[in-house]
Amino acid sequence: MALFRLRAARLKDNAVCAVDSTSRSAYGSSLADIKWGKNKEGISLPQTSEVVVYSLELTDLRHAGFPNVALLTDRGYESIQNLERYILNGQKMVMCVKVGQSFVLKHILEYGDFAGAPEQMSIDLDTKVFYKQYDIDYRVNGNGETVHKADKFKLNIYFDPMKRGSDITNLSAEIEMQRRALQEMKDNRYPLDDDATIKRLYKWFTIDYNPQNRLIKDFSLNEKKVSNARRTSGFYAIATLGMDMTAMQTWELYGLRDEQEKYFQQMKSQLGFDRQRNWSEEGKTGRLLILFVGLILSSYVRHIWKSTDLHQQFSSTLEVLDEMRSIRCVEHTGKAKHITPFVGAQIDIANAFGFKIPDGCAPKYTSRKKDAPHRGRPAKPKTSELEH
């Protein structure tokens, strides 16, 4: 908590706090928060949901000393319940919302049929993305008869013509694959899976089946659902609350979530924390602290790499670390420690990070250019001391 308070003191005005979580497969089975589920790895292990300081609950953030910073969330946290909680607490937020939500779909349907892009939208010349911002009047019932009006609730709708073409192509392919699978099951009298699996695998069709033996009687395309999917293809929607930003400022801010995903990638690859390798609550707490500190150090290395000339010499932070890996501190009993010399790009890395090269480890001498060979015994190499 003391560390969180120190971090909160560094926040500036208009700070935005990103919110996200990830899952890690676990080997131990005695952890309190362990559960079975499906993750991107698809391996048969229980998992835990990992959260860091930026994904705590609102009350936890405030108890940790954080001011009322704006929260930035993806569609995984988008719900009417969360939205109304933000409004009641006066919480600023930037939230990606599903285009199928009623208050978003309503505006998309107003565009009607169009060729290329809706005439009601403007285009951003840098990103080639069409956009339009709406002021939304949204009210939430509080305790008793009180009604809370959302403060500066804005809906930003974006349209990408290139994505629209890709979405419609993928939609047609999905419909055809599901149709063939259902027809094969009907012809061969294969029983259906449970209702949750049917809804997930054959979402574009309405299926009539015998509940006793779960055999398909008939199936038909859900025309309304498909029509809405085609209509919303190529559209994005981001809502903001309590913030004065244009549509494209919101777009640029939300794009910073890419950095957040890179931190998760660092955690699971570079830092080797892709698995939960502990069997007790104490072990998990200790490893999470090490992971948190490791992410701070790893993020600092990445910052120096991006903000200096190192990114021109090395393609990634891993290459920076690999370059320094050959340096050794040699210890012999009864003798002073000996650190191997810093050479080549290792000197550039030390300078970029502001590290002082240990005494005796910087190269002091270099050979002069050799003359053409002469007959007889070769002369001893001539050296000159470098200037500091």
Side-chain angles (χ1 to χ4, degrees):
M1 296 302 289
L3 175 62
F4 293 161
R5 291 189 182 95
L6 290 173
R7 179 64 186 91
R10 296 177 54 202
L11 291 177
K12 300 179 181 179
D13 293 338
N14 300 322
V16 176
C17 195
V19 176
D20 206 350
S21 60
T22 187
S23 62
R24 285 198 294 157
S25 298
Y27 294 124
S29 58
S30 58
L31 301 178
D33 59 345
I34 209 163
K35 61 182 180 181
W36 287 94
K38 294 187 177 180
N39 56 24
K40 296 177 181 178
E41 294 178 320
I43 58 177
S44 181
L45 281 175
Q47 62 188 23
T48 59
S49 293
E50 301 301 336
V51 294
V52 290
V53 63
Y54 52 64
S55 58
L56 295 174
E57 295 292 335
L58 298 180
T59 53
D60 293 335
L61 283 172
R62 293 186 179 125
H63 290 164
F66 283 81
N68 187 16
V69 296
L71 301 182
L72 188 150
T73 68
D74 62 9
R75 287 181 295 185
Y77 290 82
E78 181 255 356
S79 69
I80 296 298
Q81 182 180 6
N82 283 343
L83 173 61
E84 295 187 348
R85 182 183 295 116
Y86 296 150
I87 295 173
L88 292 174
N89 286 276
Q91 174 65 51
K92 298 178 181 179
M93 67 88 186
V94 179
M95 180 171 63
C96 186
V97 297
K98 300 181 180 70
V99 292
Q101 284 282 16
S102 58
F103 70 98
V104 181
L105 184 60
K106 165 190 169 185
H107 292 290
I108 294 178
L109 294 177
E110 289 174 353
Y111 298 147
D113 297 328
F114 56 86
E119 295 180 357
Q120 300 93 323
M121 304 185 80
S122 304
I123 185 172
D124 179 68
L125 296 180
D126 294 328
T127 61
K128 303 298 187 295
V129 169
F130 294 83
Y131 64 91
K132 189 172 180 62
Q133 186 178 79
Y134 299 90
D135 292 318
I136 306 297
D137 184 11
Y138 197 97
R139 301 171 186 271
V140 180
N141 294 326
N143 295 329
E145 298 181 355
T146 60
V147 177
H148 296 261
K149 181 181 178 181
D151 178 38
K152 301 175 186 175
F153 186 28
K154 300 179 184 295
L155 173 65
N156 303 282
I157 298 180
Y158 309 92
F159 177 73
D160 184 346
M162 300 294 291
K163 185 178 184 300
R164 182 178 181 83
S166 174
D167 287 349
I168 291 178
T169 300
N170 292 336
L171 174 62
S172 299
E174 281 186 26
I175 291 174
E176 183 59 26
M177 285 190 295
Q178 292 180 21
R179 188 197 309 276
R180 293 183 182 183
L182 289 171
Q183 188 63 52
E184 181 181 1
M185 295 176 71
K186 180 181 178 182
D187 295 341
N188 295 304
R189 298 181 60 80
Y190 294 148
L192 289 167
D193 294 317
D194 59 275
D195 291 346
T197 304
I198 294 174
K199 185 177 180 180
R200 186 178 73 252
L201 297 180
Y202 311 108
K203 61 180 181 180
W204 302 117
F205 288 86
T206 301
I207 305 174
D208 182 20
Y209 62 93
N210 188 331
Q212 307 300 331
N213 54 20
R214 303 193 67 81
L215 296 179
I216 298 177
K217 297 180 181 178
D218 198 7
F219 61 90
S220 60
L221 189 66
N222 190 329
E223 298 288 353
K224 182 178 180 180
K225 192 173 184 178
V226 172
S227 176
N228 286 339
R230 288 199 176 102
R231 183 63 65 89
T232 57
S233 295
F235 284 95
Y236 305 89
I238 304 176
T240 61
L241 184 67
M243 305 181 72
D244 289 313
M245 292 194 302
T246 65
M248 293 315 298
Q249 286 174 338
T250 304
W251 172 275
E252 292 174 4
L253 179 62
Y254 189 79
L256 295 178
R257 280 199 68 259
D258 290 343
E259 291 294 322
Q260 190 178 45
E261 297 298 333
K262 290 174 184 175
Y263 294 144
F264 285 151
Q265 185 179 6
Q266 282 179 265
M267 180 185 78
K268 294 186 177 181
S269 57
Q270 186 173 336
L271 297 179
F273 276 80
D274 57 327
R275 296 287 188 278
Q276 193 72 265
R277 294 178 174 87
N278 46 268
W279 284 259
S280 67
E281 291 298 320
E282 293 80 4
K284 180 184 177 184
T285 301
R287 283 178 177 264
L288 282 177
L289 176 61
I290 294 172
L291 170 59
F292 185 69
V293 175
L295 276 174
I296 293 175
L297 298 176
S298 176
S299 300
Y300 178 69
V301 172
R302 179 176 175 80
H303 167 70
I304 297 297
W305 169 70
K306 289 180 63 177
S307 59
T308 64
D309 292 337
L310 291 182
H311 71 277
Q312 298 177 357
Q313 296 178 254
F314 303 96
S315 61
S316 67
T317 55
L318 285 178
E319 286 192 11
V320 175
L321 298 177
D322 288 340
E323 182 68 26
M324 304 296 286
R325 205 178 299 277
S326 61
I327 298 174
R328 293 288 184 270
C329 179
V330 183
E331 299 183 49
H332 293 286
T333 304
K335 296 184 179 181
K337 297 179 181 179
H338 171 69
I339 301 177
T340 56
F342 284 59
V343 296
Q346 294 173 347
I347 300 174
D348 298 330
I349 294 173
N351 291 335
F353 281 89
F355 297 156
K356 180 182 177 182
I357 298 178
D359 294 337
C361 296
K364 293 183 177 180
Y365 298 90
T366 183
S367 296
R368 289 179 177 175
K369 182 180 180 181
K370 294 182 178 180
D371 298 327
H374 299 282
R375 296 181 64 183
R377 179 181 297 177
K380 294 182 179 179
K382 298 177 181 180
T383 61
S384 62
E385 189 168 353
L386 293 175
E387 294 181 359
H388 293 281

